[in-house]
Amino acid sequence: MNPLTRRKFLLASAGATGAAALAAGGIGLADLLATARDNHASDPDDETDKIVVVTLYGGNDGLNTVIPYADSAYYSARPELAYAPERVLHLNDSLGLNPGMTGLKRLWDDKQVAVVLGVGYPKPDRSHFRSMDIWQTASPEVPVASGWVGRWLDGTNASAAAAVSFDPVLPPLLVGETRVGACVAVDGLQLPPGISLEMITALAQKQDGESDLQVRAAEAYQDLLRVNELVQQAKNAEIPREGAELPTLPATATGGGSALAAQLDLVTRCVEAGVPTRVYSVSLGGFDTHADERVGQEWLLKQLDGALSAFMDRLARTKAGRRVSVAVYSEFGRRVRANASDGTDHGTAGPVFILGPRVAGGLYGEQPSLTDLDDGDLKATMDFRDVFGTLLDSVLQADPARYLNGYQPKLLPIVRRGL
């Protein structure tokens, strides 16, 4: 059966329903916009700037990540959770990193880490879902259906591979009104039982006389196949060299693998292979530390630290890698005072990390007071849209207000233009 005849058959069969579900999300690649234009892989030597957005799901405890070790109120509020000053990795005479973040401390010493303090949004919401929606859509006032990266896709008529998530599902961050980023499984396209690559290829073939809806469906399958091809090329690509051969990316500092390390490994290979993606989305979950926080959070921060520091070391070896900036955030911080279960409950403001060779390392913003609180919570000292607006301006060379629903951010001197 030729591809066009097979496609007619599939569109009229239950097999088409299964394949359509594949394109709609959740299995390997999620929704790609039906009208997206063709992708053309960039030259590996291209000097296009890129962002990797790292989401820490669950609400990371910022006070035990960037620790106010010189503040007596810190020890009074959480005597069982607080870190002794000698265990903290000092950044200055008042703040330091969690003991599990030795790799980021090394990068900090190399002036490749910026820590933005007290980041939040007006009228904070302690719901995981609403707060994450606010961060990813950049709309604290009212719910909207598009993410700030998705609106950038809309405004630039970007290709299907311009924004890629290596999360299990497509985050709202990459959803626009007319265009949608790609969701790619770490292992590439994974087909459910009964659906073959040949069937998807047949569904991607356009045919004369079809309706606009059928043409758009075919283009969606074409985009799905193109992005999967880019991922496979990246995974199998020969590593470019600048002098010495690059080592295999290690998993984590503790020797164990992590989902974040695997995601960042694929980002590395995509960058080195010249994939034209401008924004990558990856994540690490488990930060909802209501009980026994010290052990659990430190273990998670060691995973984060090992994956990020190895990622940055690897990227530093190539010209394309040195154009990458990384932003790390969580939907909210935790309450200042510990609860009765040696954990912390949902709070408000927290730190955001920006990493990369182009980053002007240091502390930005003001550490919130631990005594002047809002119903037991930290008062945010910086709007998160100022951070994302800075990335839009400095990395994507875009007008921040256009993609932040009219919000005019106070731009921060974090990312240097040019190298």
Side-chain angles (χ1 to χ4, degrees):
M1 188 181 297
N2 67 52
L4 296 182
T5 304
R6 178 180 292 276
R7 181 165 177 268
K8 282 185 175 181
F9 170 76
L10 288 171
L11 287 171
S13 70
T17 303
L22 169 68
I27 308 174
L29 288 174
D31 212 5
L32 290 177
L33 184 68
T35 57
R37 300 298 184 228
D38 290 344
N39 288 317
H40 297 290
S42 301
D43 187 295
D45 292 328
D46 180 45
E47 296 187 2
T48 304
D49 297 327
K50 297 171 171 56
I51 303 171
V52 179
V53 180
V54 181
T55 302
L56 306 181
Y57 284 104
N60 178 45
D61 182 7
L63 289 177
N64 270 14
T65 303
V66 178
I67 300 170
Y69 68 89
D71 191 338
S72 61
Y74 167 68
Y75 299 97
S76 298
R78 42 174 70 189
E80 301 300 323
L81 293 182
Y83 283 92
E86 60 270 19
R87 290 204 60 205
V88 176
L89 306 175
H90 294 195
L91 301 178
N92 61 14
D93 59 4
S94 61
L95 297 172
L97 294 178
N98 185 283
M101 305 176 75
T102 55
L104 265 66
K105 176 58 165 63
R106 172 176 54 81
L107 292 169
W108 164 274
D109 292 339
D110 291 339
K111 304 187 185 307
Q112 293 189 48
V113 176
V115 180
V116 189
L117 302 168
V119 184
Y121 56 86
K123 299 179 180 179
D125 193 305
R126 295 184 185 89
S127 162
H128 289 295
F129 302 104
R130 177 63 187 133
S131 190
M132 185 56 68
D133 181 68
I134 287 171
W135 276 82
Q136 296 203 9
T137 64
S139 180
E141 296 83 9
V142 294
V144 297
S146 60
W148 62 271
V149 174
R151 294 192 290 273
W152 171 78
L153 292 174
D154 291 340
T156 57
N157 293 321
S159 69
V164 171
S165 169
F166 291 122
D167 296 303
V169 295
L170 186 72
L173 175 70
L174 304 190
V175 176
E177 294 182 0
T178 62
R179 293 181 177 270
V180 181
C183 185
V184 182
V186 170
D187 293 328
L189 181 60
Q190 298 176 358
L191 301 176
I195 303 297
S196 68
L197 189 61
E198 182 185 18
M199 294 167 69
I200 301 301
T201 302
L203 286 165
Q205 301 297 315
K206 295 181 184 180
Q207 189 172 349
D208 293 339
E210 290 185 315
S211 68
D212 290 342
L213 184 60
Q214 288 174 312
V215 170
R216 291 178 65 189
E219 290 176 343
Y221 287 114
Q222 290 174 8
D223 287 336
L224 184 148
L225 292 169
R226 288 189 189 100
V227 175
N228 183 64
E229 182 181 0
L230 288 173
V231 172
Q232 296 302 330
Q233 289 174 351
K235 289 174 67 176
N236 298 325
E238 181 179 352
I239 302 300
R241 292 174 172 81
E242 289 188 4
E245 182 177 354
L246 297 174
T248 301
L249 186 69
T252 69
T254 58
S258 76
L260 179 60
Q263 293 173 71
L264 290 176
D265 182 49
L266 192 47
V267 173
T268 305
R269 295 176 185 275
C270 288
V271 170
E272 291 173 349
V275 172
T277 303
R278 298 291 307 280
V279 181
Y280 292 94
S281 174
V282 299
S283 67
L284 180 64
F287 287 90
D288 196 16
T289 51
H290 288 280
D292 301 321
E293 178 182 306
R294 272 278 291 266
V295 173
Q297 190 206 22
E298 188 169 334
W299 178 73
L300 287 168
L301 290 177
K302 284 181 179 179
Q303 289 190 61
L304 174 68
D305 179 81
L308 282 176
S309 57
F311 177 63
M312 298 309 301
D313 290 345
R314 175 69 172 262
L315 289 180
R317 298 289 193 94
T318 64
K319 182 184 296 184
R322 290 191 289 272
R323 307 299 304 190
V324 176
S325 298
V326 180
V328 186
Y329 78 99
S330 192
E331 69 262 37
F332 46 60
R334 316 295 292 190
R335 302 278 282 180
V336 174
R337 187 165 296 279
N339 61 29
S341 301
D342 292 331
T344 52
D345 298 324
H346 300 176
T348 53
V352 171
F353 294 85
I354 309 294
L355 300 81
R358 297 180 57 219
V359 168
L363 295 171
Y364 292 82
E366 179 184 352
Q367 176 69 12
S369 169
L370 298 187
T371 54
D372 180 17
L373 303 176
D374 181 8
D375 190 25
D377 279 322
L378 297 174
K379 295 179 180 179
T381 57
M382 182 171 298
D383 194 297
F384 76 105
R385 291 168 292 182
D386 295 337
V387 181
F388 288 162
T390 296
L391 296 177
L392 280 163
D393 176 77
S394 300
V395 181
L396 296 182
Q397 291 80 50
D399 174 15
R402 181 179 180 185
Y403 304 117
L404 297 177
N405 287 330
Y407 177 83
Q408 295 284 350
K410 300 178 180 67
L411 299 181
L412 306 171
I414 293 178
V415 182
R416 294 183 286 260
R417 294 181 181 275
L419 278 176

